[in-house]
Structure formats: structure tokens, C-alpha cells
Amino acid sequence: MRTPPATRSRAPSPSAETGAADSIPEPAHLELRIWLRLLGCTAQIENYLRTRLRAEFGISLARFDLMAQLDRRPAGVSMSDISRLLLVSNGAVTGLVDRLVKEGMVTRKSNAGDRRAFIVSFTPAGRRAFAKMAKRHEEWVLSLLGDIPIDAKQQLLGQLVHLKRRLEDTR
């Protein structure tokens, strides 16, 4: 006899786990559970930031990320470097830059050293707008992570640095 769907028991998904399951994970497949937890946390933070950026500034997270790269490079950056930094295709960068140019946030100029390449940089209005967005972005991130005790944040950061170095060694 089949059990009706409403009464079937299912194992909880990693995102549904709470309580003791979070504090003492099973040894089996611990690495997979860590991977899933990292993905889940990243997705939740990105969704939160994406929603806030869209609501307050009418801008996508992808355009914000591109502007953040420009903010780190005041002299401008080539389209191909933006693609590499953001880990997206050249076509995706072209679309993002086109929209930012239309909005008056960035300029795209020919590179004197290579006429096939373009250098993207902020307009004064774009730099001012990004400064406001970056301040709010920082406030949102602090609101998400602020309640975590400082020692736990330091430990987590240390572990993530260790993980990143380990991953870089596998290239």
C-alpha cells in the first residue's frame, strides 16, 4: 500500500537543517555539506543585495559589480580586463557598459595603445552615484553580518582565506 504524499517522511535538505545538525555535522559527505552551505549563504546574500540595489537605485547587481571594479581603478580599465575580473563574457560586459554609458555613469574611449580595445572609466556623475551606492551596500552587508560575534567573524574569515589559498593551489 502506498503512503499518501502528505505523510511520507523525507530527509531534510541541507538548507532546511537547524539546531544540532548545524553544530555537529555528520562526517559522511562533510565537504559536500560545506559546499552547499557556502552556496546557500552566497545566494541569500546576493539576493538581498540585488533586491536592495534595484529598489533603492534602480541598478542591477552586475552593474554595481562593474562599477566597483572601476572604483578600484580610477584611471579606467579595459573591457577585456573587466570581463576577466567579473568572470563574465566580453559580450556581457559590452551590454553592461552600453547601459552605463546611456545612463551617463561611465565613458568608453579607445585605447591609444590598441585601437581595437576600449578603456572604461567613471564620469563625475557616475563616481558620485557609485559612492552613494557603495555606502548603502556597506550598510546592508553590515546589517546582515553585524550580529555575529567578532571572534566568530575573525575565525570564519581566517578559514575562508585558507580555503581560497587552497583553491588557488589547485589551478
Side-chain angles (χ1 to χ4, degrees):
M1 177 176 199
R2 256 179 69 191
T3 307
T7 60
R8 285 187 196 145
S9 88
R10 291 183 288 180
S13 69
S15 61
E17 295 170 7
T18 58
D22 281 337
S23 59
I24 306 173
E26 297 175 28
H29 306 295
L30 182 59
E31 294 80 4
L32 292 176
R33 294 182 68 209
I34 292 168
W35 165 244
L36 291 172
R37 189 56 46 111
L38 285 170
L39 281 176
C41 289
T42 299
Q44 287 184 326
I45 292 169
E46 283 185 349
N47 286 336
Y48 178 85
L49 296 173
R50 182 178 291 112
T51 300
R52 297 292 184 270
L53 285 166
R54 178 73 65 203
E56 193 162 327
F57 299 104
I59 194 164
S60 69
L61 183 56
R63 282 190 277 168
F64 177 86
D65 288 344
L66 188 150
M67 293 172 81
Q69 293 301 323
L70 294 178
D71 189 58
R72 292 182 187 103
R73 294 159 184 84
V77 62
S78 72
M79 301 271 285
S80 59
D81 283 344
I82 294 170
S83 176
R84 182 182 49 78
L85 291 164
L86 295 179
L87 304 173
V88 298
S89 71
N90 289 335
V93 169
T94 299
L96 292 171
V97 170
D98 285 349
R99 285 189 286 283
L100 289 169
V101 166
K102 283 181 187 174
E103 295 169 3
M105 300 288 198
V106 303
T107 61
R108 177 179 33 212
K109 296 179 182 172
S110 294
N111 183 348
D114 181 356
R115 286 186 280 170
R116 296 170 298 162
F118 293 95
I119 300 296
V120 179
S121 57
F122 273 124
T123 62
R127 186 168 303 285
R128 284 190 304 274
F130 180 73
K132 290 176 188 174
M133 290 179 221
K135 182 175 176 15
R136 291 295 287 146
H137 180 273
E138 180 180 5
E139 291 169 1
W140 298 326
V141 171
L142 292 175
S143 75
L144 290 173
L145 304 177
D147 290 344
I148 300 171
I150 187 70
D151 58 329
K153 285 188 268 197
Q154 290 171 334
Q155 187 178 20
L156 177 59
L157 180 59
Q159 294 301 318
L160 291 172
V161 166
H162 178 73
L163 175 61
K164 184 175 181 193
R165 287 183 185 141
R166 169 72 176 94
L167 296 171
E168 288 169 350
D169 289 344
T170 63
R171 289 192 233 172

